[in-house]
Amino acid sequence: MGNIKNRHIIDSNNLSEESYFISILQEAYACGLLYDSDIENIQLQCIDFLAYKSENYNGGESSSIRVEVAENIMKSNLYTIGLYLKSLPDADSAVSELKSTRIDEIYKKGRDLIDEKIRTVKHIYKLAKKNKVFTLNYTYNATLDDDGIGIFFRSYNPDYEAHETPASIDYQLCNPVINLEGIEFIHKYLEGLLIENEFCRNFDTQDIHYLLYGYDEGYKDLLINIFEHVLTAGLGCLLANKSIKKLDISKDEIQFLNRELSKDTNYSLALKIQNAAKKLIEKMNITNPLVQEYIERSLHKVTSNIAYGIKTNALDKVFVTPINPDLKPKIKFSSGVKMEDEDYRKLINQLLVCEYSLNKIAIIKENVESFNDLEDILFDAELNGEEKALVFDILEDIEVAALIKRHPFKSDIQAIDLSEAEHELRLDLQKYIDNLSTDRKGRIFKMVNVLIDG
């Protein structure tokens, strides 16, 4: 009889992390652990509990609520029930719970579990902020900020929207969190971020900055994962038989790695990287098993990047030579002295009433001597895109570079923080630059990279 029972054990691989409760019902029914009468009873209990929750949502009144609100409350209820069922030893235990315990009681256990998880996640959030990497990268800093993940703790509504994740999270982990919602997503995400931070804190902040700057001088505006770059650099150093302390690998060493690794099969390459990871863990004295396991899970992605870099002859985009930006030659740009406020107001009024674009440009050329004034005019004179392009035409390369430096259009990551006028200026500037010759465009961006705006 024991063998017959074992045939009905639910395969956990068939269960959905996002819709755990529903998938338990489906699998238990398919395996014969629940019958039609059981499913019907559970459904009726869920509907009755929804009515109860909806009445509470209305402040105790029994008046109707919108369909979409009711659907959302039901999703929240099912999420909370599923969260508790997930905490049980196995799926069979979850089915036994469903057969022996009322839905409202299971919900209460799940709701208590959410409160417990909120306390845990708040603690992890504090730890993640405490051991954060000091970096210029915008998405990393914004995500860890009170207006990033911090929004969750102010906006999360576990009673009616337990499945929602109200937070601004743009920074992607090396091992992204998938198939989770609500408090579970935030919990798993912060655990991953805490681990990534712990690993990166083994290296000097300045060396990480040089590494990321070597990858892209505008890395502060890129959607990159810092841990992935640091781990890759460390593995590259070990494969090149040098110290990982400074994450410093030269162009010649990258060429050497390209020659050597191109001889490997996919299997032998993966084995080399796996051995390098073991050596890295040993040399860095990483004893935290969670960090060790996270590194192991990251190796497939790193190995794929290396294999692709070899295949496309672009290994220097995977293994990066650090660059100290302070050692690069600089150009100091002077913005000039702004005109008096009264004179500026008169000029703006003159431009606003002027009907013809060419006349506007003539007025600007005749009256504007300061770059700061010209920049203000781009915002205040209500110029259209074509008129802004005519203004850009009268600028020297260094002045166009200064505009790009102040109003970068390389990424829209910070678009939500921009005014409409600033957003339009960036788009118009990008359109103008895109239409320039390759030579002039190259000259301008070289200036952008070495410009000191002062």
Side-chain angles (χ1 to χ4, degrees):
M1 292 297 292
N3 290 335
I4 294 175
K5 185 178 179 181
N6 286 340
R7 293 177 189 171
H8 299 296
I9 292 177
I10 295 174
D11 184 355
S12 60
N13 293 321
N14 295 331
L15 301 177
S16 166
E17 288 292 323
E18 290 177 285
S19 305
Y20 193 80
F21 178 31
I22 298 298
S23 63
I24 279 282
L25 294 180
Q26 291 171 339
E27 288 300 310
Y29 182 76
C31 293
L33 296 177
L34 290 176
Y35 302 104
D36 289 338
S37 57
D38 297 316
I39 297 295
E40 183 179 353
N41 179 44
I42 291 170
Q43 287 176 335
L44 289 173
Q45 288 188 61
C46 287
I47 292 171
D48 288 342
F49 189 64
L50 173 62
Y52 167 75
K53 291 285 290 184
S54 297
E55 186 175 341
N56 285 350
Y57 181 83
N58 273 342
E61 297 180 6
S62 58
S63 57
S64 62
I65 61 175
R66 297 196 314 273
V67 172
E68 57 268 25
V69 174
E71 289 177 345
N72 211 44
I73 294 174
M74 177 63 92
K75 288 179 182 178
S76 178
N77 293 345
L78 299 183
Y79 173 86
T80 303
I81 293 167
L83 186 68
Y84 175 71
L85 296 177
K86 237 189 262 190
S87 71
L88 299 175
D90 51 51
D92 283 357
S93 300
V95 174
S96 296
E97 184 80 7
L98 286 168
K99 294 174 73 172
S100 62
T101 311
R102 289 186 54 81
I103 285 296
D104 57 348
E105 294 177 6
I106 298 176
Y107 173 88
K108 177 64 168 60
K109 293 177 181 179
R111 185 63 184 79
D112 290 342
L113 188 56
I114 287 179
D115 285 339
E116 182 182 324
K117 283 185 173 293
I118 290 174
R119 290 190 291 271
T120 300
V121 170
K122 281 183 177 179
H123 177 66
I124 297 175
Y125 179 48
K126 288 179 181 178
L127 292 177
K129 291 175 73 174
K130 186 177 180 180
N131 83 338
K132 70 176 289 189
V133 178
F134 292 97
T135 178
L136 298 177
N137 186 255
Y138 175 82
T139 51
Y140 177 87
N141 292 322
T143 296
L144 262 176
D145 193 69
D146 289 342
D147 291 327
I149 291 177
I151 293 174
F152 180 84
F153 302 106
R154 301 193 298 272
S155 304
Y156 186 52
N157 185 349
D159 289 321
Y160 302 104
E161 298 173 338
H163 60 297
E164 300 286 356
T165 312
S168 179
I169 301 175
D170 291 322
Y171 185 75
Q172 295 298 305
L173 300 178
C174 183
N175 296 298
V177 179
I178 57 174
N179 301 327
L180 289 177
E181 297 177 321
I183 190 67
E184 290 177 293
F185 175 88
I186 293 292
H187 191 178
K188 192 71 173 177
Y189 179 90
L190 281 172
E191 280 186 338
L193 188 60
L194 186 65
I195 289 170
E196 290 191 358
N197 286 353
E198 183 176 331
F199 174 80
C200 291
R201 289 288 292 244
N202 286 288
F203 301 92
D204 189 82
T205 298
Q206 182 175 262
D207 293 329
I208 294 177
H209 170 54
Y210 293 167
L211 173 70
L212 298 178
Y213 192 87
Y215 173 74
D216 191 299
E217 295 174 355
Y219 81 87
K220 65 185 182 69
D221 292 319
L222 297 183
L223 282 168
I224 59 172
N225 178 264
I226 298 170
F227 166 87
E228 181 181 332
H229 282 277
V230 173
L231 175 62
T232 302
L235 294 172
C237 289
L238 288 173
L239 290 170
N241 298 313
K242 64 179 304 184
S243 170
I244 60 176
K245 183 176 176 58
K246 305 290 287 183
L247 300 171
D248 187 10
I249 185 168
S250 70
K251 294 184 183 298
D252 288 342
E253 288 163 338
I254 294 173
Q255 290 178 359
F256 164 77
L257 286 178
N258 191 63
R259 289 193 301 270
E260 292 300 310
L261 298 179
S262 61
K263 303 172 185 176
D264 286 304
T265 63
N266 289 338
Y267 174 79
S268 60
L269 177 64
L271 189 60
K272 275 187 180 179
I273 294 169
Q274 192 172 39
N275 289 334
K278 290 178 181 177
K279 189 183 296 185
L280 179 145
I281 289 170
E282 180 183 339
K283 286 184 174 294
M284 294 177 60
N285 193 30
I286 296 174
T287 57
N288 186 338
L290 294 177
V291 180
Q292 293 178 359
E293 188 269 339
Y294 196 90
I295 291 172
E296 179 66 29
R297 282 199 291 129
S298 305
L299 293 184
H300 176 74
K301 186 175 185 180
V302 173
T303 303
S304 296
N305 291 340
I306 294 171
Y308 185 76
I310 294 169
K311 182 179 178 180
T312 58
N313 197 30
L315 196 60
D316 58 342
K317 301 297 183 184
V318 182
F319 296 127
V320 175
T321 299
I323 294 176
N324 181 351
D326 296 330
L327 299 180
K328 297 187 68 175
K330 301 293 182 183
I331 299 174
K332 187 165 184 177
F333 176 75
S334 177
S335 302
V337 180
K338 299 181 73 169
M339 65 176 67
E340 296 294 329
D341 289 347
E342 182 63 27
D343 293 334
Y344 180 76
R345 282 194 294 270
K346 289 180 180 178
L347 176 60
I348 290 297
N349 289 334
Q350 188 179 0
L351 290 169
L352 290 174
V353 299
C354 183
E355 296 183 8
Y356 302 105
S357 298
L358 291 179
N359 289 346
K360 290 182 182 181
I361 301 306
I363 292 170
I364 292 172
K365 289 176 69 174
E366 182 178 348
N367 293 278
V368 179
E369 297 180 359
S370 161
F371 179 80
N372 281 334
D373 285 329
L374 184 126
E375 183 182 24
D376 289 341
I377 285 170
L378 290 170
F379 289 113
D380 300 334
E382 298 181 6
L383 304 176
N384 59 38
E386 292 181 359
E387 290 169 343
K388 287 176 191 169
L390 291 173
V391 173
F392 300 152
D393 272 336
I394 66 177
L395 301 179
E396 300 289 340
D397 287 355
I398 188 68
E399 293 171 320
V400 177
L403 268 181
I404 296 173
K405 189 83 171 181
R406 294 186 183 186
H407 311 283
F409 49 79
K410 191 169 185 179
S411 169
D412 63 353
I413 292 168
Q414 302 178 50
I416 58 173
D417 299 324
L418 301 177
S419 67
E420 184 178 349
E422 170 69 18
H423 185 60
E424 288 180 359
L425 176 59
R426 293 190 181 203
L427 291 177
D428 291 332
L429 183 56
Q430 181 175 18
K431 184 177 180 181
Y432 177 78
I433 295 295
D434 288 343
N435 289 324
L436 295 180
S437 68
T438 302
D439 288 345
R440 189 179 180 208
K441 193 186 304 183
R443 289 198 307 272
I444 289 172
F445 278 111
K446 282 183 179 179
M447 291 179 181
V448 172
N449 293 332
V450 298
L451 197 65
I452 300 176
D453 193 354

